[in-house]
Amino acid sequence: MPFVRIDAHSTGPDRLDALGRAVHDALVETLGIPPDDRFQVLTGHDGAGGALRWDDYAGVHRDEGIVFVAITLRSGRSAERKQALYRRIAELAEAYAGTEPRNVFVTLTENADADWSLGHGLAQYVT
């Protein structure tokens, strides 16, 4: 049950939709997330109503095509699966939205079963 937030610079609804599909498809392919398990917040920033800031860090040059992808999910995936996820998100972001892989910045935040309520005020993963 990942929760995904995507923030992109100078991005309209079509590119946001493509980026959302890219991340979801990568989650399904690499982590085995069910296809109907899609919970996303997609935000485009135009500099007036919101802004993004970035630098060239760790030898990666970024530009106005920057996309921040923050994924919250239950813990338990190996480093290899996470690396496969990052790689696939970058590949699909380029294929679906024309985003250069160098501009795809991904973070994962892991938590436990008790940290989720999927509705009705219940912690569905707690047995």
Side-chain angles (χ1 to χ4, degrees):
M1 165 89 197
F3 176 73
V4 175
R5 180 176 180 98
I6 299 173
D7 292 274
H9 183 68
S10 300
T11 300
D14 291 340
R15 182 168 180 243
L16 283 173
D17 179 65
L19 291 166
R21 284 186 297 111
V23 172
H24 183 70
D25 288 354
L27 286 163
V28 170
E29 290 176 25
T30 62
L31 300 186
I33 302 302
D36 63 343
D37 190 355
R38 182 190 316 243
F39 297 92
Q40 300 179 334
V41 176
L42 311 173
T43 306
H45 298 268
D46 61 6
L52 300 177
R53 301 288 183 258
W54 66 89
D55 285 307
D56 293 346
Y57 178 73
V60 180
H61 172 70
R62 297 167 186 85
D63 59 29
E64 289 77 22
I66 189 83
V67 175
F68 293 102
V69 179
I71 302 171
T72 303
L73 69 168
R74 292 185 293 163
S75 63
R77 277 70 176 203
S78 68
E80 293 79 17
R81 289 185 77 185
K82 291 174 186 178
Q83 290 171 316
L85 173 65
Y86 305 146
R87 187 171 38 258
R88 193 64 178 141
I89 288 172
E91 291 168 355
L92 293 178
E94 183 174 36
Y96 294 3
T99 301
E100 292 182 53
R102 66 184 171 83
N103 276 324
V104 180
F105 185 101
V106 182
T107 63
L108 294 181
T109 303
E110 296 180 308
N111 58 25
D113 291 349
D115 297 320
W116 294 89
S117 174
L118 310 180
H120 299 292
L122 303 173
Q124 284 84 352
Y125 293 132
V126 177
T127 55

